[in-house]
Amino acid sequence: MLLGAHLSVAGGVDKSFQRAVDLNCTAFQIFTKSNRQWQAKDLTPEEIDRYHQQQQATGITPVVCHASYLLNLGTPDEVLWHKSIEALVLELERCERLKIPYLVLHPGSHVKSGPEAGLARVAQALDIIHDPLSGYEVQVALEISAGQGTSLGSSFEEIRQMIDRTKNPERLAVCFDTCHALVAGYEFRTPETYEAMIQEFDRVIGLDRLKVIHLNDSEKDLGSHVDRHAHIGEGCIGLEAFGYFLNDPRFKTTPFLLETPVDNDPEDNERNLKALRSLIKSSG
């Protein structure tokens, strides 16, 4: 079972492994740079070596990276669009040096230019990004969005369109977020609706492309389009539905990662991970 949380890299990216060990994580997610800044200090060869040494020593893999929240590949604003492209190239370069397989990305917002124009912008940007990075192993994992405001990617169909419009669709993966999916209008809180939703995902996108699952409860309910994460079992999803994901054999090798609130570190992650572990059925 690949289960973990989004963890701090305070003190250096290599420091995240000890935090993961302390939480008994078997996978985890990080930012490789500040998620609120465009620029970043280069990763030094020494820092990269320490990171790889820690990964080898702990055996924790995969580590997933999340891209900065500042990026918007769907924007009609030329300055912001080009800035986002440059920043995403930088993030992919950092992931490649750290041998991180997936960079989770919010597809962006069309900012009232309309979904059609926004989707075209995202695909165009991804092609520009992929061009100079041929041979890279890291994949951009497009994250299902909550559909808040003018954000793109709140339906499986929109995610599929972004992928299909690129020249190199094989370089893209998908990240499923339970909070985002619920508020976007996907019901999965009974065994029947869960299975129906997974089947729909497979039909539209393909389960082979689903590489990361974010497990977050939601402060807001079905179809609200409001992105507010809650502690596991304390929001509108409730506890039971998370077990459907965790015990689904189709996701045996998929990392499940928390992005729940962390007001008290590491206590909040500890209790949310404990809640999830209580749902895992023994394979014996």
Side-chain angles (χ1 to χ4, degrees), residues 111-268:
V111 199
K112 298 183 180 178
S113 65
E116 182 63 28
L119 293 169
R121 289 288 264 184
V122 172
Q124 185 184 359
L126 289 168
D127 282 342
I128 292 170
I129 288 155
H130 283 148
D131 255 0
L133 306 181
S134 62
Y136 270 38
E137 292 188 13
V138 57
Q139 290 183 297
V140 170
L142 299 168
E143 182 172 358
I144 304 291
S145 79
Q148 191 164 317
T150 59
S151 65
L152 298 159
S154 62
S155 71
F156 299 159
E157 286 77 11
E158 281 194 351
I159 294 289
R160 182 78 226 187
Q161 284 184 57
M162 292 178 207
I163 294 167
D164 285 346
R165 290 179 182 203
T166 62
K167 295 173 186 170
N168 303 106
E170 74 283 354
R171 297 181 68 176
L172 297 170
V174 175
C175 171
F176 183 94
D177 185 300
T178 53
C179 169
H180 297 176
L182 183 81
V183 299
Y186 290 99
E187 179 61 89
F188 54 84
R189 292 172 291 186
T190 67
E192 294 77 21
T193 56
Y194 168 80
E195 184 56 35
M197 182 195 69
I198 297 299
Q199 293 283 356
E200 184 179 355
F201 184 101
D202 191 31
R203 178 181 61 80
V204 177
I205 298 174
L207 284 175
D208 58 328
R209 215 177 277 274
L210 179 52
K211 300 299 184 182
V212 182
I213 297 177
H214 287 163
L215 295 181
N216 301 305
D217 213 327
S218 176
E219 283 189 15
K220 304 299 179 180
D221 212 341
L222 183 71
S224 65
H225 298 292
V226 179
D227 184 5
R228 295 285 184 277
H229 296 187
H231 295 292
I232 300 298
E234 296 179 20
C236 294
I237 294 176
L239 188 59
E240 188 177 352
F242 291 102
Y244 306 152
F245 292 90
L246 290 165
N247 295 298
D248 191 329
R250 290 168 291 195
F251 303 133
K252 191 176 179 181
T253 60
T254 307
F256 294 104
L257 305 169
L258 284 171
E259 289 181 326
T260 41
V262 182
D263 299 313
N264 298 301
D265 190 10
E267 292 84 2
D268 284 333

Side-chain angles (χ1 to χ4, degrees), residues 5-19:
H6 186 102
L7 302 178
S8 167
V9 293
V13 288
D14 56 297
K15 303 297 184 187
S16 55
F17 283 97
Q18 186 56 52
R19 297 180 178 107

Side-chain angles (χ1 to χ4, degrees), residues 81-130:
W81 191 65
H82 284 289
K83 204 171 181 179
S84 298
I85 289 170
E86 289 170 13
L88 190 54
V89 168
L90 172 71
E91 296 224 30
L92 286 166
E93 287 171 343
R94 294 167 78 87
C95 287
E96 190 73 7
R97 294 184 75 189
L98 295 170
K99 298 180 181 174
I100 289 174
Y102 307 113
L103 175 65
V104 175
L105 174 71
H106 294 172
S109 167
H110 63 75
V111 199
K112 298 183 180 178
S113 65
E116 182 63 28
L119 293 169
R121 289 288 264 184
V122 172
Q124 185 184 359
L126 289 168
D127 282 342
I128 292 170
I129 288 155
H130 283 148

